[in-house]
Amino acid sequence: MDRFVWANGLLEMNETLVIQQRGVRLYDGEDKAKLDVGVVLLSTHRLLWRDQKNHECCICIHLSQIIFFEEHAAGIGKSAKIVIHLHPAPENKEPGPYQHSKYSFIKLSFKEHGQIEFYRRLTEEMTQKRWENTPVLQPIPTGIGPKAGRTRAVGIVGIERKLEEKRKETDKNISEAFEDLSKLMEKAKEMVEVSKSIANKIKDKQGDITEDETIRFKSYLLSMGIANPVTRETHGSGTQYHIQLAKQLGDMLQAPLEERGGMMALTEVYCLVNRARGMELLSPEDLVNACKMFESLKLPLRLRVFDSGVMVVQLQSHSEEEMIASALDNVSDKGSLTAEEFAKLLGLSVLLAKERLLLAEKMGHLCRDDSVEGLRFYPNLF
């Protein structure tokens, strides 16, 4: 302990804090030091210890004073320790808490763990010896006692200042991000206005525009979003809102359903609708309530719930017999199929492919083999 000198706890220029750990007690050899539990700090140049209660009480030792060190594992009723063996104290040593010591080593007792990471970082610093490559610009300031004056705005204060600067920079970046988001929302509203304008022109000049041009315009509208999305602001709330929403969904979903074989999972419908609505996003609950009204409104769509609980939207003209026959034909041709293989053949999602196979099984046309390799369907020969 007589190698330690008083310090003010501040880091010098070119000195960097590597790691710190709370709940560390110092030992002068085998004896407990007269100091209380504190915080041990490892920098690129020094090993520092600071009292947890009295921050003005701080001592340090230069890393060049260390000969070697070793780790002692924790035991029953004993904390893990790092034993550091030191060179003899120099003759011109500055004042410290101990003037003389009969030991040539100290111990760091870790009451709150953290010794493994601290030992690793200490090993790295002793191997790299960065204090030789980046010497401090000025001598390390020390005082005549634990209340040495703080003459420089570095060290712990400097670290706090850097953290505050980083926080301000983060706040600035977040503000800029929200500004960009606001601009994006404004642009989205402009695009919706353009789509409304095109939709109105199609209605006004229906006779002057050819069928091909109408189809092309409608494809542009779909890529930009729904021209006049039904919202609670425009159609109120409750049943009337869901009725108007169901009618709009009936117009919008018919073409995508025909392209996908007449059936889509409700999750796919949700993504497709909200992408087209732009900023006027639809909640899952409103979507389900609107889909439930397809049949009562005599729209060409239906909401269907499979036995597994999977919900799909399908065309009214979609034939269940054709769906079962398709599943049976494909399984018979291939000998057997999994849901993934069937999905690739028909270009469906795996979820819908599995539901079709399960439906065919329910009707007695297929049977299954459930093994470690997964669920595989075969023609039912019984």
Side-chain angles (χ1 to χ4, degrees):
M1 286 294 295
D2 58 351
R3 280 73 161 176
F4 278 92
V5 298
W6 294 113
N8 58 14
L10 306 180
L11 298 179
E12 283 296 320
M13 300 300 293
N14 290 341
E15 184 181 19
T16 306
L17 180 65
V18 177
I19 189 175
Q20 64 177 356
Q21 177 60 45
R22 294 173 56 86
V24 178
R25 181 182 289 277
L26 287 176
Y27 279 71
D28 178 21
E30 299 295 341
D31 304 329
K32 284 185 180 180
K34 57 187 178 182
L35 301 169
D36 201 356
V37 177
V39 181
V40 63
L41 302 96
L42 175 65
S43 76
T44 52
H45 294 69
R46 295 178 295 167
L47 181 70
L48 301 96
W49 181 92
R50 187 178 67 240
D51 192 290
Q52 286 186 183
K53 297 179 181 178
N54 181 14
H55 289 183
E56 297 296 328
C57 179
C58 183
I59 57 177
C60 72
I61 186 171
H62 202 274
L63 295 183
S64 60
Q65 288 286 98
I66 299 176
I67 302 175
F68 70 95
F69 50 94
E70 53 190 331
E71 186 178 11
H72 287 182
I76 299 176
K78 294 183 179 181
S79 303
K81 296 178 178 64
I82 295 178
V83 182
I84 301 176
H85 297 264
L86 305 170
H87 288 291
E91 295 181 357
N92 60 345
K93 185 184 81 72
E94 296 183 8
Y98 283 72
Q99 298 304 315
H100 302 284
S101 174
K102 61 181 179 180
Y103 298 104
S104 61
F105 65 93
I106 62 169
K107 292 182 181 180
L108 304 178
S109 178
F110 292 80
K111 304 293 184 182
E112 300 179 10
H113 307 290
Q115 74 282 356
I116 295 176
E117 180 65 13
F118 195 91
Y119 183 87
R120 185 182 70 81
R121 303 300 289 271
L122 179 59
T123 302
E124 291 178 355
E125 292 306 316
M126 293 303 298
T127 302
Q128 297 174 10
K129 296 184 178 181
R130 288 195 282 177
W131 67 84
E132 296 179 353
N133 300 326
T134 55
V136 292
L137 298 183
Q138 293 183 5
I140 298 170
T142 58
I144 58 175
K147 295 185 178 180
R150 298 195 174 195
T151 57
R152 305 187 59 183
V154 291
I156 302 301
V157 176
I159 294 172
E160 292 176 349
R161 182 177 296 135
K162 286 183 180 179
L163 291 174
E164 179 65 19
E165 291 174 356
K166 188 174 182 180
R167 185 189 64 78
K168 290 181 179 179
E169 183 179 356
T170 302
D171 291 344
K172 180 182 177 183
N173 291 337
I174 292 174
S175 299
E176 292 177 353
F178 275 109
E179 288 179 4
D180 293 339
L181 183 60
S182 299
K183 293 177 181 178
L184 179 62
M185 291 174 66
E186 291 175 3
K187 290 294 182 182
K189 290 179 180 178
E190 292 178 8
M191 295 301 294
V192 171
E193 291 299 325
V194 171
S195 67
K196 287 181 180 179
S197 174
I198 296 175
N200 292 332
K201 288 180 180 179
I202 291 177
K203 292 178 182 178
D204 296 340
K205 300 182 179 181
Q206 190 67 42
D208 299 334
I209 300 178
T210 64
E211 186 176 351
D212 291 340
E213 290 175 329
T214 304
I215 294 173
R216 193 181 306 119
F217 272 128
K218 287 183 177 179
S219 67
Y220 293 157
L221 287 176
L222 184 60
S223 65
M224 286 188 290
I226 299 174
N228 300 292
V230 174
T231 63
R232 292 185 181 275
E233 288 76 13
T234 57
H235 292 84
S237 59
T239 305
Q240 185 61 30
Y241 166 66
H242 292 131
I243 289 174
Q244 296 301 322
L245 182 60
K247 291 179 179 179
Q248 189 172 72
L249 292 176
D251 295 335
M252 175 196 171
L253 294 175
Q254 192 159 0
L257 281 169
E258 291 173 354
E259 294 173 1
R260 291 166 173 80
M263 181 183 293
M264 288 177 62
L266 197 60
T267 52
E268 295 180 66
V269 172
Y270 178 78
C271 295
L272 181 67
V273 170
N274 274 328
R275 186 177 65 180
R277 287 174 67 91
M279 303 305 297
E280 302 293 344
L281 299 180
L282 194 62
S283 71
E285 182 181 5
D286 286 338
L287 177 64
V288 172
N289 290 332
C291 291
K292 287 179 179 178
M293 293 189 170
F294 286 156
E295 191 167 358
S296 61
L297 294 175
K298 298 184 176 1
L299 296 174
L301 308 180
R302 292 293 179 271
L303 176 66
R304 177 174 182 171
V305 183
F306 285 101
D307 294 339
S308 62
V310 174
M311 304 176 76
V312 299
V313 174
Q314 67 179 40
L315 293 173
Q316 186 180 11
S317 59
H318 188 70
S319 171
E320 186 173 289
E321 290 75 15
E322 291 180 2
M323 186 169 61
I324 295 173
S326 173
L328 178 59
D329 291 343
N330 281 279
V331 172
S332 299
D333 291 342
K334 300 295 181 179
S336 66
L337 284 175
T338 63
E340 292 79 6
E341 294 168 348
F342 189 46
K344 288 181 181 179
L345 285 175
L346 297 187
L348 300 173
S349 67
V350 176
L351 183 66
L352 291 182
K354 184 178 179 181
E355 292 299 332
R356 289 194 179 195
L357 292 171
L358 290 174
L359 181 61
E361 181 198 27
K362 180 181 177 182
M363 301 304 295
H365 299 289
L366 299 178
C367 59
R368 71 168 74 185
D369 177 27
D370 198 353
S371 65
V372 293
E373 296 180 354
L375 191 61
R376 181 171 287 274
F377 292 87
Y378 294 84
N380 188 2
L381 303 179
F382 296 99

